[in-house]
């Protein structure tokens, strides 16, 4: 599935699921911030002009519509990734030694981006992390939505109130990833082109 | 644009302006307030997202409402009546238990027990009215459960009363009907699905923390469901009716999800 033209970096299913995921994350984060503002558990609220939905009811409608896009699109992404073998050969092996070496290179500005078809160890870890984080967001969201219907999941996450915090911190990690991701795209702009036209 | 912004601000800033909205709510006719809220449902967010009003907002509202109805059906399918909400020790009760309504605590309705008569209607065999004493004469249970608000916060409280399933059987309700509707003395109204009505933890609550239900928690009687969000739990109930036509609800008609629970 991912094979074929050697110069193709990202197959079409990857590009489509990437951009649909970007839309879903934008809608979910902005509407989620409005929901958080209705009963903030920290000393701050999110500025209203960064939120989506207008009022709590509108934000909830956006959140519980966009969740279907995130989940359905995510399942297609994971299925294509696993069945095509891309998951295995793009993200593994992932050794701590290579990770440290690539991290040092990255921070000293010596990390090579000569071959965009290969992920370096930092990228591998970052992408695997954000996949796991998205799974955690979905599972904690499921507990907040249906706490009585998913008792095992609810207790694993520490109960309803703890799950609110888990959902919030998982969101924060996702937003932090997006921030770094966008900086990296700005530093290496041809990665953006590759995610649009595939090469 | 300015008009859009100010409307967005008024509706969205419910932390600061909650009390103002409650006051306004008293004086503005219900229907016009509802229409105002419906029009404003996604206005602010959409204008922000698109930068202007190029997207037809009515079609977005319609699409979001359609998905919300779809979510109602999904939640009906996910609902397993044998799954119970967690129960807690008395020591974990949140004190004081928060007051919450679409009006302020100083506007709580005080129902006179002597005049109170619960009406029962729709698809039931026995439509006679009930007094509070008759409700108290039925077998009662107590439970300490978590109340979860649509805003996200939660609090643990202790409610006692008549299992609603027993009450529905007593009045000969048609248990194959789809909905139970509630009308309240504070002009609130809501409705629930039959499966939730028959859930073993769904109570016609007559007490709070071992005492007669105080007015602020819904005297003389509220429906308490640990499987539903707060806005699905009506207080000061004066009429219960069984129907196959969805009666909607005060918040549900403005955009809150109808199923609204777990």
């Amino acid at each position: 599935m991912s094979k074929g033209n050697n110069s193709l970096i990202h197959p079409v299913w990857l590009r489509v699921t990437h951009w649909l995921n970007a839309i879903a994350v934008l809608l979910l984060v902005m509407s989620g911030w409005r929901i958080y503002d209705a009963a903030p558990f920290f000393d701050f609220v999110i500025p209203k002009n960064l939120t989506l939905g207008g009022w709590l009811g509108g934000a909830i409608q956006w959140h519980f519509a966009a969740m279907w896009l995130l989940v359905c699109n995510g399942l297609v992404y994971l299925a294509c990734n696993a069945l095509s073998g891309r998951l295995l050969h793009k993200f593994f092996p992932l050794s701590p030694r290579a990770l440290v070496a690539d991290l040092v290179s990255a921070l000293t500005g010596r990390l090579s981006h000569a071959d965009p078809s290969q992920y370096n160890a930092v990228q591998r870890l970052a992408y695997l992390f954000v996949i796991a984080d998205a799974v955690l967001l979905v599972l904690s969201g499921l507990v907040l939505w249906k706490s009585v219907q998913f008792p095992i999941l609810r207790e694993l996450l520490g109960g309803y109130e703890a799950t609110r915090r888990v959902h919030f911190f998982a969101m924060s990690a996702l937003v932090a990833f997006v921030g770094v991701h966008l900086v990296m795209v700005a530093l290496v702009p041809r990665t953006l082109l590759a995610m649009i036209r595939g090469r | 644009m300015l008009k859009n912004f100010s409307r967005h601000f008024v509706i969205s800033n419910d932390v600061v302006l909650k009390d103002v909205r409650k006051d306004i709510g008293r004086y503005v006719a219900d229907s016009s307030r509802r229409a105002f809220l419906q029009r404003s449902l996604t206005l602010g967010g959409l204008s922000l997202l698109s930068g202007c009003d190029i997207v037809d907002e009515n079609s977005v509202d319609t699409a979001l409402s359609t998905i919300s109805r779809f979510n109602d059906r999904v939640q009906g399918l996910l609902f397993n009546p044998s799954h119970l909400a967690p129960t807690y020790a008395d020591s974990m009760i949140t004190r004081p238990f928060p007051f919450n309504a679409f009006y302020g605590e100083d506007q709580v309705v005080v129902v006179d027990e002597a005049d109170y008569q619960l009406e029962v209607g729709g698809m039931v065999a026995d439509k006679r009215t009930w007094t509070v004493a008759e409700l108290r004469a039925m077998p009662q249970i107590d439970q300490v459960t978590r109340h979860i608000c649509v805003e996200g916060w939660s609090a643990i409280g202790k409610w006692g009363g008549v299992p609603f399933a027993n009450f529905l059987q007593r009045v000969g309700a048609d248990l194959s009907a789809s909905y139970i509707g509630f009308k309240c003395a504070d002009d609130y109204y809501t409705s629930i699905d039959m499966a939730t009505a028959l859930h073993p933890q769904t109570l016609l609550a007559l007490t709070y923390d071992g005492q007669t239900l105080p007015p602020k928690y819904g005297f003389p009687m509220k429906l308490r469901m640990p499987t539903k969000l707060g806005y699905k739990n009506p207080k000061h109930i004066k009429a219960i009716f069984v129907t196959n036509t969805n009666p909607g609800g005060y918040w549900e008609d403005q955009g809150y999800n109808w199923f609204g629970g777990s």
Side-chain angles (χ1 to χ4, degrees), chain A residues 51-117:
Chain A
T51 68
L52 175 67
W55 70 299
L56 177 61
I60 290 173
Q61 285 198 347
W62 276 105
H63 209 72
F64 286 74
M67 70 173 186
W68 291 113
L69 180 60
L70 183 88
V71 169
C72 296
N73 183 63
L75 289 174
V76 171
Y77 166 81
L78 289 175
C80 289
N81 226 348
L83 296 176
S84 67
R86 184 183 177 278
L87 187 66
L88 211 61
H89 86 257
K90 277 278 202 183
F91 293 97
F92 297 97
L94 179 59
S95 74
R97 185 184 238 171
L99 192 66
V100 171
D102 282 352
L103 196 58
V104 169
S105 307
L107 293 174
T108 52
R110 288 184 287 107
L111 191 62
S112 168
H113 298 285
D115 181 6
S117 69

Side-chain angles (χ1 to χ4, degrees), chain B residues 181-197:
Chain B
F182 302 89
K183 292 177 188 162
C184 307
D186 58 359
D187 290 335
Y188 196 73
Y189 64 103
T190 188
S191 54
I192 60 167
D193 51 295
M194 182 61 81
T196 300

Side-chain angles (χ1 to χ4, degrees), chain B:
Chain B
M1 193 65 192
L2 186 66
K3 196 174 150 205
N4 279 358
F5 178 77
S6 63
R7 210 162 6 155
H8 166 59
F9 178 77
V10 168
I11 294 306
S12 69
N13 203 348
D14 59 4
V15 177
V16 177
L17 295 178
K18 203 171 188 174
D19 292 340
V20 177
R21 279 176 56 204
K22 282 171 181 171
D23 286 346
I24 292 170
R26 294 178 70 196
Y27 301 110
V28 180
D30 262 10
S31 59
S32 66
R33 182 168 34 145
R34 214 170 299 135
F36 170 70
L37 279 160
Q38 276 169 346
R39 276 199 308 277
S40 312
L41 190 60
T42 61
L43 205 61
L46 195 66
S47 299
L48 280 167
L49 196 67
S50 60
C52 55
D53 295 336
I54 50 168
V55 184
D56 178 5
E57 283 168 1
N58 280 333
S59 65
V60 173
D61 277 354
T62 306
L64 289 174
S65 297
T66 304
I67 297 170
S68 194
R69 297 292 77 76
F70 170 74
N71 287 343
D72 287 338
R73 291 196 294 277
V74 172
Q75 292 176 97
L77 292 173
L78 281 174
F79 185 80
N80 180 342
S82 65
H83 279 170
L84 299 181
T87 53
Y88 303 89
D90 282 12
S91 60
M92 293 178 75
I93 293 172
T94 308
R95 299 180 195 278
F97 189 85
F99 168 82
N100 206 48
F102 65 102
Y103 44 79
E105 195 168 343
D106 56 335
Q107 292 153 23
V108 166
V109 171
V110 179
V111 174
D112 182 357
E113 186 177 330
D115 297 339
Y116 176 81
Q117 291 212 309
L118 173 67
E119 292 170 30
V120 180
M123 299 160 69
V124 297
D126 182 358
K127 292 185 178 165
R128 72 180 178 83
T129 60
W130 288 66
T131 64
V132 181
E134 287 171 315
L135 290 169
R136 285 189 191 125
M138 284 188 74
Q140 315 275 311
I141 60 167
D142 267 2
Q143 64 189 19
V144 181
T145 50
R146 184 181 296 277
H147 167 105
I148 298 176
C149 179
V150 66
E151 293 178 328
W153 57 266
S154 72
I156 295 171
K158 182 178 185 174
W159 290 269
V162 181
F164 193 41
N166 295 356
F167 179 82
L168 288 175
Q169 279 155 3
R170 176 76 78 89
V171 299
D174 181 346
L175 302 183
S176 68
S178 300
Y179 308 104
I180 320 282
F182 302 89
K183 292 177 188 162
C184 307
D186 58 359
D187 290 335
Y188 196 73
Y189 64 103
T190 188
S191 54
I192 60 167
D193 51 295
M194 182 61 81
T196 300
L198 298 176
H199 188 273
Q201 290 175 311
T202 297
L203 292 187
L204 274 182
L206 296 161
T207 67
Y208 181 77
D209 199 10
Q211 310 292 318
T212 300
L213 199 65
K216 65 175 175 175
Y217 298 151
F219 181 85
M221 184 259 286
K222 75 169 284 178
L223 191 71
R224 169 59 198 162
M225 296 169 284
T227 57
K228 291 278 194 215
L229 297 173
Y231 67 88
K232 299 299 296 183
N233 291 247
K235 297 186 274 199
H236 317 286
I237 298 169
K238 62 177 187 186
I240 297 174
F241 56 102
V242 179
T243 172
N244 276 324
T245 309
N246 189 333
Y250 176 86
W251 284 113
E252 295 89 327
D253 292 351
Q254 297 173 35
Y256 280 1
N257 178 255
W258 178 78
F259 191 90
S262 182

